[in-house]
Amino acid sequence: MSARECVIPVFVPHLGCPHRCVFCDQRRISGSAESASAETVREAIKAAAALPRSGAKRQLAFYGGSFTAIPAAAQEELLGAAAEAIARGELDAIRLSTRPDAIDEETLARLRRCGVETIELGAQSMDDGVLRLSGRGHTAADVARAAEMVRAAGFRLILQMMTGLPGSDDEKDVETARRLIALRPDGVRIYPTVIVRGTPLEEMRKKGEYREHTVEDAVRVCSKLLPLFEEAGVPVIRLGLNPTEELSGGEAAGGAYHPALGELVKSRVMYEKMRVLLAAVRPGSRVTLGAAERSLSQAIGQKRENLRLLGEVLSLEEIKVVPAAVNEGEIVLLSVENGGEL
Ligand code: SF4
């Protein structure tokens, strides 16, 4: 999402979900128990309309359920309230998230009629075994079919994937990313698996049927995914669940929950780039690297972890990163001294 977008969230917890996926409890994830009605939609838009407009595009987002799987009349009611606001010029667009097996031509025609611009599909994995163990109730072929239909109908397509689901591993998660890229989405969200309290996944872990996807596991695999999406020109618009008081306060019973997961992953990506860049530098050298101002803290790492590790692994006398006129996320070697050579 660009800085010029203002999202008005409307929560529809589990509305339309044919059953529960093993990792999901939208009420605990978001901290909201109330489901939306046309009145909720009107109130949310009214509250947002009172704020200064500041040129940002105003989008209403239905999230937390399977929007297109709810009965058509209920969809019409919720979308109708948003469409009225579009007609009055108080709202610019509507986005919603749904399941891949709840997309058909009739549904897409309804969404188009009501002013929906962006459709987010929860793909989660492109491995049928992983989808089955996760209780998703759809296949990878459903994801591909729905994505094609959404794109062909002219909507913006956002795909969501998860890492560390039951039965998955780094290889399967990387393959999922490759297959999502092939579907040419306008953006992706990556959600490493969190064990939410009270979910079937928590039970599976207790019974030894699921090995927890730790923060370190998530950082490792996501640091492989980010460069893939970047090279393909697919923006990663979210990495990790939005931190909430509920999740931080204990509803996240394990797994890859960290309030700054995205930063940890970007920092690991920078570490890998620096390791490649310094591969030929002799032990005992003093090296200076350059990064964009905005990437400095990611290059240095939390508590200077990246520099400490690189110094140890490569036996460097000194390593530092200074601001340089390069693109965000880029890293360059500025100097090597003290007997080191390239
Ligand atoms: S992951 Fe999506 S489809 Fe599955 S239970 Fe949660 S909201 Fe429903």
Side-chain angles (χ1 to χ4, degrees):
M1 184 180 33
S2 86
R4 306 299 292 162
E5 289 181 354
C6 158
V7 171
I8 306 165
V10 173
F11 192 57
V12 288
H14 293 296
L15 221 51
C17 300
H19 53 90
R20 290 287 164 86
C21 305
V22 297
F23 50 83
C24 187
D25 185 330
Q26 289 295 335
R27 291 175 179 85
R28 288 182 199 257
I29 289 172
S30 71
S32 172
E34 294 296 313
S35 197
S37 64
E39 203 38 49
T40 330
V41 172
R42 287 192 193 99
E43 276 166 20
I45 294 167
K46 206 166 133 197
L51 300 172
R53 204 157 164 87
S54 67
K57 179 174 178 172
R58 281 200 174 133
Q59 292 191 69
L60 188 92
F62 292 104
Y63 76 108
S66 304
F67 193 91
T68 59
I70 65 180
Q75 289 182 46
E76 297 267 7
E77 193 190 326
L78 292 166
L79 291 170
E84 288 163 14
I86 291 182
R88 287 195 303 271
E90 291 171 5
L91 192 68
D92 299 308
I94 305 170
R95 60 194 301 154
L96 53 84
S97 59
T98 196
R99 295 169 54 88
D101 55 355
I103 291 290
D104 56 32
E105 294 297 351
E106 193 186 332
T107 302
L108 292 176
R110 177 186 313 114
L111 301 186
R112 170 179 297 281
R113 216 170 42 242
C114 295
V116 173
E117 188 180 273
T118 305
I119 298 179
E120 298 206 11
L121 293 177
Q124 315 317 4
S125 175
M126 291 301 273
D127 182 288
D128 282 340
V130 172
L131 290 171
R132 195 172 50 251
L133 287 171
S134 303
R136 287 288 297 169
H138 66 79
T139 62
D142 290 327
V143 176
R145 181 195 56 86
E148 283 304 326
M149 287 176 74
V150 167
R151 275 181 53 80
F155 294 94
R156 277 185 82 235
L157 169 68
I158 305 291
L159 294 173
Q160 302 173 357
M161 73 168 282
M162 296 178 65
T163 60
L165 282 171
S168 198
D169 54 27
D170 286 13
E171 215 176 300
K172 288 178 184 172
D173 290 342
V174 166
E175 182 56 20
T176 286
R178 291 191 198 285
R179 291 183 62 185
L180 294 192
I181 288 168
L183 297 173
R184 295 177 295 144
D186 296 290
V188 291
R189 295 183 196 265
I190 307 173
Y191 293 113
T193 304
V194 173
I195 303 174
V196 178
R197 198 169 295 289
T199 56
L201 193 62
E202 191 183 24
E203 272 305 301
M204 288 165 75
R205 178 181 58 170
K206 273 187 202 149
K207 289 187 199 152
E209 295 167 4
Y210 173 66
R211 193 184 71 81
E212 181 175 356
H213 189 52
T214 63
V215 170
E216 170 53 30
D217 291 336
V219 170
R220 184 190 63 247
V221 67
C222 291
S223 69
K224 296 175 190 167
L225 304 185
L226 274 196
L228 287 180
F229 287 118
E230 194 180 320
E231 277 161 32
V234 176
V236 176
I237 59 176
R238 177 78 214 168
L239 204 165
L241 285 179
N242 279 315
T244 64
E245 277 179 28
E246 287 75 17
L247 288 171
S248 298
E251 297 292 25
Y257 180 66
H258 189 291
L261 190 63
E263 280 302 296
L264 294 184
V265 173
K266 285 181 192 160
S267 188
R268 182 66 59 87
V269 172
M270 289 298 259
Y271 173 86
E272 294 300 339
K273 285 182 184 172
M274 292 191 283
R275 211 166 52 96
V276 170
L277 207 54
L278 299 176
V281 170
R282 278 178 32 183
S285 301
R286 300 158 72 88
V287 301
T288 304
L289 296 154
E293 193 85 45
R294 290 182 63 161
S295 305
L296 274 183
S297 62
Q298 289 160 3
I300 292 166
Q302 281 206 332
K303 300 182 185 157
R304 303 184 66 78
E305 185 70 0
N306 281 355
L307 299 191
R308 190 189 60 73
L309 261 179
L310 281 168
E312 265 176 39
V313 171
L314 304 172
S315 305
L316 301 173
E317 174 73 19
E318 185 186 80
I319 173 168
K320 59 184 175 185
V321 187
V322 299
V326 295
N327 291 330
E328 203 176 329
E330 253 180 66
I331 187 103
V332 289
L333 186 52
L334 295 178
S335 70
V336 180
E337 299 169 28
N338 222 15
E341 65 182 37
L342 292 174

